[in-house]
Amino acid sequence: MPLDWWRPTKETLHRFAQIVGKIRLAASPRRNHWWNVPFHVTGRGITTRPMGQVDGNPIFTIDFDFVDHRLVITALDGERRSIPLQGQSVASFHDATMAALDELGIRVELAVPHPFDLPDADRPFAEDTEHASYDPEAAGRYWRVLSQVASVLEEFAADYWGKASPVHHFWHTFDIAHSRFSGRPVDQPPQTDPVTREAYSREVISFGFWFGDDTFAEPAFYSYTAPEPPGLDQEPLSPAPARWVAHGGSHLALLRYDDARAESDPRAAVLAFYDSAYRTGAERAGWDVAALACPGGVTDPVLRS
């Protein structure tokens, strides 16, 4: 999944996803650590899951269908609208999506109707005619990779019984992730922005995958511990190609996607990578690793034996 091969499609699709993600943000009840806003993988693409009602709107769902390459908006009464993904600029996609919602009687106002943490963050979606690339082959491959990574993360998530996030796809950073929490609160500097404060209000070890960006221009599996305990970057990682890289004043454990694919058993290699990153982070941070384990998703000691 080389970044340069699909960069124009990725940059357009990322902004499409942010538009739909901000609709989800506006139309869903807030959850801890922003768990209400990410997408979830489906058998045809990604979904917002049902939303509405609490804000006075009908219950509705928005799905990216990467088989037929359409955006599908469905209301609980069965009414639906479908928008092609190909041949759209960000501006036309934004306008078509908002018009479709209006036709279904859904009133949603984006609090900040422009990209989050992207180079054109000051440009409203409705004015972006620059990003207008959508290659169905690239989009389909993105979804298939996303689906395979989600499956691996679900398997990894089964071994932890403490507070943990779902496996979900964040539209702001365009990565898929699963996070484990110790429950201990974290004191943050007063200047920390509200998004970060909520995301990292408790000790956390996160695991995920991104498709590459300007800071790291290739797809990779990653993990980080926040706050980062001293000496974490000195710990060994598995498999052998995995390494620690400096990032934003702390460190990321990284395993390049191509390195994982080159292993004799790529799935086992990724699971080993996540497990090694978890154990080093948890042990350095003083978590009770044995007490928090539930191999195979089983917590009852009788069933486990």
Side-chain angles (χ1 to χ4, degrees), residues 86-162:
Q86 194 170 13
Q88 300 269 16
S89 69
V90 170
S92 66
F93 176 85
H94 169 271
D95 294 348
T97 301
M98 301 310 289
L101 290 172
D102 188 64
E103 290 173 10
L104 293 169
I106 299 165
R107 307 288 182 262
V108 176
E109 182 176 346
L110 305 190
V112 186
H114 51 77
F116 177 82
D117 200 28
L118 291 176
D120 56 338
D122 293 332
R123 176 171 55 190
F125 293 122
E127 298 177 9
D128 182 2
T129 58
E130 173 191 356
H131 297 100
S133 298
Y134 185 90
D135 176 359
E137 181 186 353
R141 189 182 298 185
Y142 143 78
W143 164 61
R144 289 192 295 274
V145 171
L146 197 71
S147 298
Q148 291 188 7
V149 175
S151 176
V152 176
L153 281 169
E154 290 285 1
E155 183 176 349
F156 174 71
D159 291 339
Y160 185 82
W161 70 260

Side-chain angles (χ1 to χ4, degrees), residues 256-278:
R256 295 170 61 250
Y257 183 58
D258 286 347
D259 286 338
R261 294 179 70 232
E263 294 285 325
S264 59
D265 187 340
R267 188 182 188 94
V270 175
L271 289 170
F273 167 71
Y274 286 145
D275 186 65
S276 66
Y278 165 65

Side-chain angles (χ1 to χ4, degrees), residues 14-245:
H14 192 171
R15 288 160 177 81
F16 287 1
Q18 288 211 359
I19 292 168
V20 176
K22 289 186 177 225
I23 293 170
R24 170 75 189 178
L25 177 62
S28 61
R30 181 164 165 172
R31 292 282 306 280
N32 58 182
H33 311 294
W34 306 108
W35 291 354
N36 57 304
V37 297
F39 300 131
H40 289 237
V41 179
T42 72
R44 295 182 68 92
I46 54 178
T47 182
T48 60
R49 294 160 292 145
M51 52 190 166
Q53 192 168 32
V54 294
D55 59 355
N57 278 309
I59 296 176
F60 68 104
T61 302
I62 303 181
D63 292 85
F64 284 89
D65 182 335
F66 295 120
V67 177
D68 290 338
H69 302 285
R70 304 187 71 84
L71 186 80
V72 181
I73 307 173
T74 308
L76 193 62
D77 62 4
E79 285 291 309
R80 67 200 307 247
R81 295 294 184 273
S82 177
I83 300 164
L85 297 173
Q86 194 170 13
Q88 300 269 16
S89 69
V90 170
S92 66
F93 176 85
H94 169 271
D95 294 348
T97 301
M98 301 310 289
L101 290 172
D102 188 64
E103 290 173 10
L104 293 169
I106 299 165
R107 307 288 182 262
V108 176
E109 182 176 346
L110 305 190
V112 186
H114 51 77
F116 177 82
D117 200 28
L118 291 176
D120 56 338
D122 293 332
R123 176 171 55 190
F125 293 122
E127 298 177 9
D128 182 2
T129 58
E130 173 191 356
H131 297 100
S133 298
Y134 185 90
D135 176 359
E137 181 186 353
R141 189 182 298 185
Y142 143 78
W143 164 61
R144 289 192 295 274
V145 171
L146 197 71
S147 298
Q148 291 188 7
V149 175
S151 176
V152 176
L153 281 169
E154 290 285 1
E155 183 176 349
F156 174 71
D159 291 339
Y160 185 82
W161 70 260
K163 176 179 175 178
S165 78
V167 174
H168 44 202
H169 184 24
F170 285 97
W171 46 263
H172 67 298
T173 46
F174 218 54
D175 62 334
I176 186 167
H178 158 69
S179 298
R180 297 175 173 181
F181 295 81
S182 72
R184 293 196 288 254
V186 175
D187 290 328
Q188 301 185 66
Q191 68 271 21
T192 304
D193 67 89
V195 174
T196 303
R197 290 191 71 87
E198 179 59 31
Y200 298 105
S201 63
R202 300 292 187 273
E203 281 187 345
V204 61
I205 305 177
S206 267
F207 316 86
F209 173 85
W210 71 61
F211 290 89
D213 56 25
D214 289 337
T215 60
F216 191 83
E218 58 183 314
F221 302 91
Y222 69 82
S223 175
Y224 61 85
T225 301
E228 181 176 312
L232 181 66
D233 60 317
Q234 304 303 312
E235 294 285 351
L237 293 168
S238 295
R243 67 187 190 276
W244 294 100
V245 299

